[in-house]
Amino acid sequence: MKLPDEGLLMNVLIHKLQSRDAGILRIFLKSIYLLSAVGVGVGCFYSFMFFIFNIGGGFISSDNKPAAFGVAALAVVGTIVFLLLGRLIYNSNSYIGPSIVIIVVTAILTLPVVDVANNVIGTYQTHRAKPYVESYMNDLKTGLVEKIAPLEFDYNESKTETLRYWSNNGHDIWIKLRKKNETLTSEDLNNVINALPSAKYKVRVFIYYKSFKEYPNDQYSIDFTVRNSPTVPPYCNSDDFEHNLCDFVIGK
């Protein structure tokens, strides 16, 4: 019986191994391609949002039509190129349907997924900050009241609103103060700024005082950021235009 040629057997074996490796590589590329469709869907979503917010028409949209149409065109061209690239991998049109479905579904689900992710991150950040915020508020409750009289420190509202809006307010500690039916003076502001202990987060102060003559149920207010570092930009906002209290705060 004649044995097969060893060289022929080796060539057959190499061919089979190459065919198997090529098959594995093609499966890998197909998987990567479909996963990439998710990225294309996310890109289409953000392109659509950019288009909406820059097409003009007022409300929340800016008038930046060249950029809006440029991004929209880039998204369309990019999607077409992506689909054409799939033709090189699949050697058929069978991939088009699943790819388009993945892109569309991803674009639709991007906003709720991002929203859920932000909520989870915000909850975690608030949970981490809560012990420090509560400790800081307790220190104010015992050491601030006498130094800022006749202003009153609203402990409950300060703590509650700081934690409630922690992930939305830039991680600021909110201090709520009130002065009943009296004009706020620069001396009051000076007492508050000097009495507040330093904090590892930015401190924002809200003071409500004297009622409007025309609207007795509404009060004047001022809110400002305590600059505990030279790198913190000055911020102050007030509806009491007569006394220009923000000039004093920013000058501190």
Side-chain angles (χ1 to χ4, degrees):
M1 182 177 178
K2 186 178 180 180
L3 296 174
D5 183 77
E6 291 184 0
L8 178 61
L9 287 175
M10 185 61 68
N11 289 335
V12 171
L13 181 60
I14 292 174
H15 178 71
K16 287 184 176 181
L17 290 175
Q18 288 176 339
S19 299
R20 187 190 67 176
D21 292 343
I24 294 174
L25 178 60
R26 188 169 293 276
I27 292 173
F28 175 75
L29 290 176
K30 288 179 179 180
S31 301
I32 294 297
Y33 181 82
L34 291 178
L35 288 175
S36 299
V38 175
V40 175
V42 173
C44 288
F45 167 78
Y46 282 107
S47 297
F48 175 75
M49 295 299 294
F50 184 88
F51 181 82
I52 292 298
F53 284 109
N54 289 274
I55 194 61
F59 191 48
I60 60 174
S61 181
S62 302
D63 189 3
N64 192 9
K65 290 184 177 64
F69 284 108
V71 169
L74 184 63
V76 172
V77 172
T79 302
I80 293 174
V81 171
F82 177 77
L83 293 175
L84 292 176
L85 181 63
R87 188 75 174 78
L88 300 176
I89 299 174
Y90 283 83
N91 289 327
S92 71
N93 294 325
S94 62
Y95 71 95
I96 294 179
S99 299
I100 292 177
V101 169
I102 292 174
I103 291 172
V104 172
V105 171
T106 301
I108 293 173
L109 294 180
T110 295
L111 182 59
V113 168
V114 170
D115 189 49
V116 170
N118 286 337
N119 288 337
V120 171
I121 294 172
T123 301
Y124 172 72
Q125 291 176 336
T126 302
H127 177 73
R128 287 194 61 187
K130 185 177 180 180
Y132 180 83
V133 171
E134 290 181 338
S135 175
Y136 187 83
M137 293 295 178
N138 288 331
D139 290 343
L140 294 183
K141 191 176 182 180
T142 56
L144 181 69
V145 177
E146 294 182 358
K147 298 178 181 178
I148 64 171
L151 275 69
E152 298 177 355
F153 172 49
D154 194 328
Y155 169 82
N156 291 326
E157 187 175 344
S158 297
K159 184 179 74 171
T160 300
E161 293 203 1
T162 294
L163 294 175
R164 180 182 299 164
Y165 303 112
W166 184 257
S167 60
N168 298 322
N169 67 11
H171 300 167
D172 295 352
I173 295 177
W174 287 4
I175 308 299
K176 299 296 185 79
L177 306 175
R178 303 184 186 280
K179 187 176 184 182
K180 295 182 178 179
N181 299 322
E182 295 182 46
T183 301
L184 190 69
T185 66
S186 58
E187 182 180 356
D188 293 328
L189 293 173
N190 191 60
N191 290 339
V192 170
I193 294 173
N194 292 332
L196 286 173
S198 60
K200 69 176 183 178
Y201 299 105
K202 190 165 60 175
V203 176
R204 187 170 174 181
V205 180
F206 299 79
I207 304 177
Y208 305 91
Y209 56 101
K210 190 177 179 181
S211 299
F212 286 94
K213 292 182 180 179
E214 300 84 356
Y215 308 100
N217 293 327
D218 295 331
Q219 291 182 294
Y220 286 100
S221 66
I222 181 173
D223 71 280
F224 58 91
T225 298
V226 178
R227 300 184 65 191
N228 53 9
S229 168
T231 60
V232 176
Y235 168 80
C236 182
N237 182 49
S238 173
D239 50 18
D240 189 353
F241 304 108
E242 180 181 351
H243 296 92
N244 297 321
L245 294 173
C246 278
D247 293 343
F248 174 82
V249 172
I250 293 177
K252 287 291 290 182

